[in-house]
Amino acid sequence: MKAFVDEDTCIGCGVCESLCPDVFKLGEDGKAHVIANDCSAGCCEDAKDSCPTGAISLK
Ligand code: SF4
């Protein structure tokens, strides 16, 4: 499973990075970026469920 962030929807709140720092990282553009190819860790689901704008998808 891989995580994706919709950069148009992301507001850069940092919740995903704080919950799952091995997968999500805020960039200098103020948007979250996916830094891991694999997202089987449970924290990815937590990040997806906790994103306030629904910007994260898992496929
Ligand atoms: S939790 Fe959602 S809105 Fe917040 S930084 Fe992550 S992807 Fe962006």
Side-chain angles (χ1 to χ4, degrees):
M1 196 155 56
K2 183 166 169 46
F4 298 88
V5 172
D6 180 350
E7 294 188 4
D8 292 334
T9 310
C10 174
I11 58 172
C13 69
V15 168
C16 55
E17 184 183 44
S18 65
L19 288 174
C20 205
D22 290 340
V23 176
F24 300 97
K25 183 171 178 53
L26 281 182
E28 291 183 358
D29 58 358
K31 306 286 184 176
H33 297 275
V34 177
I35 57 171
N37 283 327
D38 182 51
C39 188
S40 50
C43 65
C44 290
E45 295 278 356
D46 292 341
K48 175 178 180 287
D49 293 343
S50 301
C51 175
T53 61
I56 297 171
S57 57
L58 302 174
K59 291 175 187 166

